[in-house]
PDB file of all heavy atoms in Angstrom:
ATOM      1  N   THR Q 395     115.484 126.718 139.169  1.00 81.00           N
ATOM      2  CA  THR Q 395     116.107 127.880 139.209  1.00 81.00           C
ATOM      3  C   THR Q 395     117.231 127.922 140.177  1.00 81.00           C
ATOM      4  O   THR Q 395     117.932 128.975 140.287  1.00 81.00           O
ATOM      5  CB  THR Q 395     115.127 129.095 139.506  1.00 81.00           C
ATOM      6  OG1 THR Q 395     114.591 128.684 140.809  1.00 81.00           O
ATOM      7  CG2 THR Q 395     114.046 129.159 138.534  1.00 81.00           C
ATOM      8  N   VAL Q 396     117.557 126.775 140.859  1.00 81.00           N
ATOM      9  CA  VAL Q 396     118.550 126.746 141.895  1.00 81.00           C
ATOM     10  C   VAL Q 396     119.820 127.124 141.272  1.00 81.00           C
ATOM     11  O   VAL Q 396     120.695 127.771 141.811  1.00 81.00           O
ATOM     12  CB  VAL Q 396     118.533 125.357 142.548  1.00 81.00           C
ATOM     13  CG1 VAL Q 396     119.752 125.182 143.492  1.00 81.00           C
ATOM     14  CG2 VAL Q 396     117.328 125.091 143.358  1.00 81.00           C
ATOM     15  N   PRO Q 397     120.334 126.544 140.070  1.00 80.00           N
ATOM     16  CA  PRO Q 397     121.569 126.782 139.542  1.00 80.00           C
ATOM     17  C   PRO Q 397     121.787 128.251 139.416  1.00 80.00           C
ATOM     18  O   PRO Q 397     123.101 128.822 139.284  1.00 80.00           O
ATOM     19  CB  PRO Q 397     121.668 126.064 138.224  1.00 80.00           C
ATOM     20  CG  PRO Q 397     120.682 124.960 138.342  1.00 80.00           C
ATOM     21  CD  PRO Q 397     119.545 125.428 139.310  1.00 80.00           C
ATOM     22  N   LEU Q 398     120.775 129.189 139.070  1.00 80.00           N
ATOM     23  CA  LEU Q 398     120.941 130.548 138.904  1.00 80.00           C
ATOM     24  C   LEU Q 398     121.400 131.169 140.191  1.00 80.00           C
ATOM     25  O   LEU Q 398     122.213 132.155 140.134  1.00 80.00           O
ATOM     26  CB  LEU Q 398     119.602 131.167 138.625  1.00 80.00           C
ATOM     27  CG  LEU Q 398     119.053 130.681 137.221  1.00 80.00           C
ATOM     28  CD1 LEU Q 398     117.648 131.398 136.975  1.00 80.00           C
ATOM     29  CD2 LEU Q 398     119.898 130.986 136.020  1.00 80.00           C
ATOM     30  N   TYR Q 399     121.008 130.684 141.346  1.00 78.00           N
ATOM     31  CA  TYR Q 399     121.526 131.301 142.679  1.00 78.00           C
ATOM     32  C   TYR Q 399     122.963 131.030 142.800  1.00 78.00           C
ATOM     33  O   TYR Q 399     123.689 131.911 143.219  1.00 78.00           O
ATOM     34  CB  TYR Q 399     120.752 130.696 143.795  1.00 78.00           C
ATOM     35  CG  TYR Q 399     119.390 131.072 144.054  1.00 78.00           C
ATOM     36  CD1 TYR Q 399     118.227 130.235 143.646  1.00 78.00           C
ATOM     37  CD2 TYR Q 399     119.221 132.224 144.797  1.00 78.00           C
ATOM     38  CE1 TYR Q 399     116.989 130.708 143.908  1.00 78.00           C
ATOM     39  CE2 TYR Q 399     117.843 132.527 144.979  1.00 78.00           C
ATOM     40  CZ  TYR Q 399     116.756 131.809 144.561  1.00 78.00           C
ATOM     41  OH  TYR Q 399     115.499 132.269 144.779  1.00 78.00           O
ATOM     42  N   PHE Q 400     123.426 129.851 142.396  1.00 78.00           N
ATOM     43  CA  PHE Q 400     124.790 129.357 142.473  1.00 78.00           C
ATOM     44  C   PHE Q 400     125.679 129.896 141.336  1.00 78.00           C
ATOM     45  O   PHE Q 400     126.884 129.599 141.351  1.00 78.00           O
ATOM     46  CB  PHE Q 400     124.948 128.005 142.730  1.00 78.00           C
ATOM     47  CG  PHE Q 400     124.192 127.463 143.788  1.00 78.00           C
ATOM     48  CD1 PHE Q 400     123.401 126.223 143.756  1.00 78.00           C
ATOM     49  CD2 PHE Q 400     124.104 128.198 144.996  1.00 78.00           C
ATOM     50  CE1 PHE Q 400     122.661 125.818 144.802  1.00 78.00           C
ATOM     51  CE2 PHE Q 400     123.205 127.614 145.994  1.00 78.00           C
ATOM     52  CZ  PHE Q 400     122.536 126.475 145.888  1.00 78.00           C
ATOM     53  N   SER Q 401     125.150 130.688 140.386  1.00 73.00           N
ATOM     54  CA  SER Q 401     125.921 131.302 139.401  1.00 73.00           C
ATOM     55  C   SER Q 401     126.764 132.557 140.010  1.00 73.00           C
ATOM     56  O   SER Q 401     127.533 133.182 139.421  1.00 73.00           O
ATOM     57  CB  SER Q 401     125.182 131.722 138.250  1.00 73.00           C
ATOM     58  OG  SER Q 401     124.186 132.520 138.532  1.00 73.00           O
ATOM     59  N   ARG Q 402     126.277 133.063 141.197  1.00 70.00           N
ATOM     60  CA  ARG Q 402     126.873 134.103 141.905  1.00 70.00           C
ATOM     61  C   ARG Q 402     127.780 133.712 143.006  1.00 70.00           C
ATOM     62  O   ARG Q 402     127.855 132.414 143.212  1.00 70.00           O
ATOM     63  CB  ARG Q 402     125.748 135.045 142.413  1.00 70.00           C
ATOM     64  CG  ARG Q 402     124.955 135.665 141.354  1.00 70.00           C
ATOM     65  CD  ARG Q 402     125.855 136.555 140.509  1.00 70.00           C
ATOM     66  NE  ARG Q 402     125.072 137.266 139.534  1.00 70.00           N
ATOM     67  CZ  ARG Q 402     125.662 138.071 138.526  1.00 70.00           C
ATOM     68  NH1 ARG Q 402     126.980 138.305 138.586  1.00 70.00           N
ATOM     69  NH2 ARG Q 402     124.857 138.688 137.770  1.00 70.00           N
ATOM     70  N   PRO Q 403     128.394 134.461 143.829  1.00 79.00           N
ATOM     71  CA  PRO Q 403     129.293 133.911 144.928  1.00 79.00           C
ATOM     72  C   PRO Q 403     128.534 133.001 145.974  1.00 79.00           C
ATOM     73  O   PRO Q 403     129.208 132.382 146.719  1.00 79.00           O
ATOM     74  CB  PRO Q 403     129.653 135.321 145.622  1.00 79.00           C
ATOM     75  CG  PRO Q 403     129.544 136.292 144.549  1.00 79.00           C
ATOM     76  CD  PRO Q 403     128.358 135.834 143.760  1.00 79.00           C
ATOM     77  N   LEU Q 404     127.144 133.051 145.890  1.00 82.00           N
ATOM     78  CA  LEU Q 404     126.364 132.257 146.850  1.00 82.00           C
ATOM     79  C   LEU Q 404     126.746 130.751 146.725  1.00 82.00           C
ATOM     80  O   LEU Q 404     126.867 130.163 145.726  1.00 82.00           O
ATOM     81  CB  LEU Q 404     124.921 132.492 146.542  1.00 82.00           C
ATOM     82  CG  LEU Q 404     124.000 131.803 147.730  1.00 82.00           C
ATOM     83  CD1 LEU Q 404     124.033 132.681 148.945  1.00 82.00           C
ATOM     84  CD2 LEU Q 404     122.544 131.766 147.120  1.00 82.00           C
TER      85      LEU Q 404
END
Side-chain angles (χ1 to χ4, degrees):
T395 57
V396 173
L398 296 178
Y399 285 99
F400 305 138
S401 65
R402 293 299 182 184
L404 190 74

